[in-house]
Amino acid sequence: MGEENKVTLHGMWLSPYVKRVELALKVKGIPFEYVEEDLSNKSPLLLKYNPVHKKVPVLVHNEKPINESLVILEYIDETWKNGHRLLPEDPYERSQVRFWAVYIQHVMECMLNIFTAEDQEKACEEFYQKLGVLEDGMKNMFPVKSRNIGLLDILIVVAFGACKAQEEVFGLKFLDPKNTPLITSWLNSLLELPVVKESVPPHDKVVSFLRFFKESSSNAQAY
């Protein structure tokens, strides 16, 4: 890869926002260098490339940084037009994908909020309500899914791909085939794809991290 077209991704291995970008790059067949960031000791480069939020992911292309995962995904799709596109060509269809992309992010954030919420029961209720809306929306939007991996596929697999590890540690059922058959079957089919398998963090590593996180949170609340 020539320096004039160098692509670098600054990330953290468990971040779902980073995983979105990593998977998109692999799906599009774009060579890139990955830089693991220690978010407790942020590198000068990370602070230089993302001085506003000081967060990952940051994609650096030709020494130009792009921040925010959804913005990065659109940048990737618009810059590398080889192969299939992550977003539809039709403007209306593209607008619908963008709408549901934002909603999937909201649902994922509601799920992550459960882990730290003081009122876990209320947080779960909010998550399941929004998950039901997403299930209905996907039925209306995608009666027949394409075999190509698009933007919403990436967001779905990253949002819910670690559910089994989360369920093992926190004892909560996030996806139920009875209530969300479309999302569950969609996720399971995506997890069988080689490009997805190589991008999903190892189950045992995720479980270990979540157990550490849970114990640390419990100890903090005890004081």
Side-chain angles (χ1 to χ4, degrees):
M1 177 171 27
E3 289 296 321
E4 71 281 357
N5 199 37
K6 184 176 180 181
V7 179
T8 304
L9 173 60
H10 292 256
M12 182 268 185
W13 71 273
L14 191 57
S15 166
Y17 306 101
V18 173
K19 284 298 174 183
R20 292 172 174 177
V21 179
E22 179 184 339
L23 184 53
L25 291 168
K26 290 179 178 178
V27 165
K28 298 280 281 186
I30 302 166
F32 66 98
E33 176 186 350
Y34 177 75
V35 177
E36 178 74 11
E37 291 283 352
D38 178 358
L39 299 184
S40 63
N41 184 25
K42 298 173 183 178
S43 72
L45 274 181
L46 177 60
L47 299 178
K48 170 188 173 183
Y49 288 138
N50 192 356
V52 177
H53 298 300
K54 304 177 176 64
K55 294 179 179 179
V56 293
V58 175
L59 186 78
V60 184
H61 180 217
N62 294 333
E63 289 300 313
K64 296 177 181 177
I66 306 97
N67 303 309
E68 297 297 318
S69 63
L70 292 179
V71 175
I72 295 172
L73 293 176
E74 291 213 34
Y75 176 86
I76 289 172
D77 204 37
E78 292 169 1
T79 303
W80 290 274
K81 298 184 179 181
N82 55 301
H84 70 271
R85 301 293 298 272
L86 299 179
L87 285 97
E89 294 285 353
D90 179 78
Y92 177 75
E93 291 180 5
R94 192 161 60 245
S95 73
Q96 295 304 292
V97 168
R98 285 175 172 146
F99 172 85
W100 286 109
V102 173
Y103 192 81
I104 290 170
Q105 175 158 311
H106 187 46
V107 174
M108 182 184 72
E109 289 169 352
C110 284
M111 182 176 69
L112 296 177
N113 183 53
I114 294 172
F115 306 142
T116 56
E118 291 185 9
D119 189 341
Q120 193 176 73
E121 183 177 348
K122 182 178 179 181
C124 284
E125 288 178 2
E126 181 181 5
F127 165 69
Y128 292 131
Q129 185 272 329
K130 294 187 182 304
L131 185 64
V133 173
L134 178 61
E135 174 81 6
D136 290 340
M138 294 300 94
K139 287 177 185 176
N140 296 332
M141 199 174 171
F142 298 109
V144 179
K145 283 201 50 60
S146 166
R147 290 184 177 271
N148 291 329
I149 297 180
L151 179 66
L152 296 186
D153 298 288
I154 290 171
L155 299 187
I156 286 288
V157 77
V158 170
F160 304 114
C163 272
K164 289 185 179 179
Q166 293 162 343
E167 289 168 3
E168 182 176 331
V169 174
F170 293 96
L172 298 169
K173 189 73 174 176
F174 293 103
L175 288 183
D176 186 340
K178 294 180 181 179
N179 298 326
T180 52
L182 175 60
I183 294 175
T184 303
S185 62
W186 183 2
L187 173 65
N188 290 338
S189 65
L190 288 170
L191 290 173
E192 291 300 314
L193 299 175
V195 69
V196 173
K197 284 183 176 180
E198 70 180 36
S199 300
V200 174
H203 176 83
D204 292 344
K205 188 176 181 181
V206 176
V207 167
S208 296
F209 178 88
L210 291 177
R211 282 178 176 159
F212 173 78
F213 172 81
K214 182 180 180 182
E215 183 178 344
S216 299
S217 298
S218 298
N219 290 339
Q221 291 174 3
Y223 290 96

